[in-house]
Amino acid sequence: MTMTDWPGAGRGLACAAALLSAPAAAQPLPPMMAASVTFQPQPQLADVVIYLEAFAGMAQESWFIAGPCRTAIRHARVRVSPFASGADLRVHLTPFALSADRVICLRNPEAMPQLFRKAMPPPSAP
């Protein structure tokens, strides 16, 4: 998926290039290959608005959250929408890197919205 494939790409998703430059994961990516995401509560400042789907079959992409990456320079500003109708992308959070379309690291995990926290899958057993 390229930046122009995202719904709402015409809004100028320049910072989303960091998210989109990470290749879709066919196998686990090392942490340095994870796309960096910053949670942005203000809608007008977000590059991408996502809706978190409970079921993978309803999502456009699945994301595996690799952990924090506080030092990432380039990042996509993401806002979590409580409604699917207001979102650019429907995302399912998966506990398995192998089944994820993207591996994501969080630049500001302390700002994680409650909706995202509730959608986080339990950690997978090693």
Side-chain angles (χ1 to χ4, degrees):
M1 178 175 271
T2 65
M3 191 155 108
T4 55
D5 293 335
W6 285 57
R11 294 188 332 200
L13 302 175
C15 291
L19 175 64
L20 299 172
S21 65
Q27 66 268 349
L29 296 175
M32 64 190 154
M33 293 295 292
S36 176
V37 163
T38 296
F39 292 112
Q40 180 58 256
Q42 298 171 324
Q44 66 275 17
L45 298 178
D47 298 314
V48 179
V49 178
I50 66 169
Y51 174 74
L52 297 166
E53 287 286 354
F55 303 104
M58 299 290 291
Q60 294 169 295
E61 284 192 7
S62 61
W63 290 1
F64 173 77
I65 307 303
C69 56
R70 297 181 190 279
T71 59
I73 296 170
R74 296 181 63 201
H75 58 276
R77 297 174 301 198
V78 172
R79 180 178 165 270
V80 179
S81 172
F83 306 106
S85 61
D88 299 319
L89 184 68
R90 292 173 175 221
V91 173
H92 173 73
L93 301 180
T94 179
F96 307 107
L98 283 174
S99 64
D101 294 313
R102 298 195 188 280
V103 175
I104 304 293
C105 67
L106 306 175
R107 189 161 183 247
N108 62 343
E110 70 283 350
M112 182 185 300
Q114 192 63 26
L115 288 172
F116 199 92
R117 193 176 315 277
K118 286 181 179 181
M120 287 282 290
S124 57

